[in-house]
Each structure stands twice: as C-alpha cells, then as structure tokens.
Amino acid sequence: MRLVILGPPGAGKGTQAARLAQHYGVPAISTGDIFRSNIAAGTELGAQVQEIVDAGGYVPDEITNTMVRERLAQPDAEGGFLLDGFPRTRAQVDELDTILAQWGQAVDVVAELTVDPDELVARLVRRAHTDGRSDDNEDVIRRRQKVYEEQTAPLTDVYGSRGLLVRVEGVGGVDEVTARLVSALDAHFAGPRP
Ligand code: AMP
C-alpha cells in the first residue's frame, strides 16, 4: 500500500502514521523526522534546514524532493510506504507522481486527519512541554498552521479530484482514531472508486 497522511500540525499524524504503518506492514516515512535527525546529528543537510524548521517555514522543494527521492529508493519502501509530512506543496505532489511513475507505481490513498483549529493549538502547546520540540512555541505554531492552510490544505482538492481522499476526524483517544482510520481506509479499498 502506498499511503499518504495529510493533516495540520498537531492533528496526530506522526502518532497515527506509526500505527497505520505497523497495521499495514509498510515503513512510515516522516520528512519532519528525517530533518530533525539530520539537525540532531549535525549533518550538512541538518545545517541547511535548521533555521527554516525552527521558524516553522517549509524547506525548499528541491532539498525535500531530493531527500524523499533517495528515501523511497531504499529497498524497504519497494512494497509500499506511508508518507507522513510529504507532499506538502503542489510541486511535491508532482515530484511524488514522477518518482512513483518511474517504477510504474502511484499513490493508492490519501488519509486526511481533520481537527478543530483551537484544539490544535492547545495540543501543540502541550506537546511543547512534553517533547521539547524547538518549533512548538505558540508563535511558531501559528506560523506553521498558516503555512499549512496556504500551501498544504489545497492538496486535499488535488487528491480528492483523483478519488483518492479519505477524510477522518482526528478527535478522541489515540486507539479510537486509529480504528476510525483503518476502517475508513479498508472501506475505501473495498468500495467502488468514485
Ligand atoms: P513535521 O514533523 O511533519 O511537522 O515537520 C516539521 C518541519 O519540517 C516542518 O515545519 C518543515 O519545516 C519541515 N518539513 C517537513 N516536511 C516538509 C516538506 N514536505 N516540505 C517542506 N518542509 C518540510
């Protein structure tokens, strides 16, 4: 299964991505995690992106696309994957299509996690206290939400028009949301394509 999970910062994408990946037996690939581990390890890529990530902006497409291209070429992604945090821009959608097309593949389904915006800020402020992420203070959170609304939310229309979008409410307990996602995804695969 080639799955993309979309949703605003704080919607619980990372948590749900790990659970879904395990459920469907595919690797979860998080561009945010790859950037953060490069920053922590002090790599050249990390140095290039640190300021942008800390300020809540988007890393330029060329950098992100190259990184994803390399990651998807790894053997563990051959049979499927779950992308968390990519694509985030229209250019990244096109790049993902191009990468997959060279192997005769395409995205199978896109799950969108929806959560009320005030609830999102409250969650992210809580996460700032527990995880100590450098991009989780309130100003940066609002910036990340704005960037998401402007650049990433429109991608739901792109995938919606392809009949690939499955929308799931990201509220309630973690197990409850996972169960909702799995049943919506399974129903998508079982049902007729719109
Ligand atoms: P995330 O963990 O998905 O919230 O990502 C954390 C940060 O990494 C984002 O705020 C961006 O600065 C950067 N980032 C992650 N994925 C992408 C992407 N697909 N395009 C551009 N920047 C990204």
Side-chain angles (χ1 to χ4, degrees):
M1 176 188 296
R2 294 177 181 86
L3 183 97
V4 169
I5 187 160
L6 277 181
K13 284 194 307 295
T15 304
Q16 296 301 332
R19 292 167 150 245
L20 289 178
Q22 188 172 17
H23 181 86
Y24 291 111
V26 292
I29 299 174
S30 156
T31 44
D33 279 352
I34 301 176
F35 286 135
R36 279 186 292 276
S37 61
N38 274 276
I39 293 169
T43 67
E44 199 184 321
L45 173 67
Q48 258 180 313
V49 304
Q50 176 156 26
E51 239 177 77
I52 303 168
V53 171
D54 282 351
Y58 281 179
V59 173
D61 286 333
E62 313 84 73
I63 297 177
T64 309
N65 288 346
T66 304
M67 190 178 83
V68 170
R69 188 175 272 276
E70 284 169 10
R71 180 62 188 87
L72 290 180
Q74 299 297 308
D76 66 331
E78 225 172 273
F81 52 77
L82 191 165
L83 276 172
D84 160 20
F86 185 95
R88 262 176 154 102
T89 64
R90 183 59 217 242
Q92 292 179 9
V93 170
D94 296 341
E95 176 71 9
L96 181 58
D97 288 341
T98 306
I99 294 170
L100 295 179
Q102 70 181 329
W103 299 310
Q105 300 168 356
V107 170
D108 294 315
V109 66
V110 176
E112 185 197 8
L113 267 183
T114 62
V115 180
D116 170 76
D118 288 338
E119 165 68 16
L120 287 174
V121 177
R123 284 187 191 184
L124 286 165
V125 170
R126 275 201 301 274
R127 186 169 79 184
H129 293 300
T130 53
D131 294 8
R133 264 180 59 158
S134 54
D135 58 352
D136 270 349
N137 69 66
E138 192 161 344
D139 281 352
V140 177
I141 290 165
R142 299 230 178 253
R143 164 104 199 273
R144 288 169 58 217
Q145 281 191 325
K146 188 163 176 275
V147 175
Y148 180 86
E149 280 312 316
E150 287 170 2
Q151 303 209 43
T152 306
L155 304 190
T156 57
D157 291 339
V158 175
Y159 286 120
S161 68
R162 296 185 191 178
L164 297 181
L165 190 68
V166 169
R167 239 186 205 121
V168 171
E169 237 198 322
V171 289
V174 173
D175 287 342
E176 203 182 328
V177 176
T178 308
R180 208 178 288 143
L181 275 163
V182 168
S183 78
L185 289 168
D186 289 349
H188 175 85
F189 284 113
R193 296 290 167 98

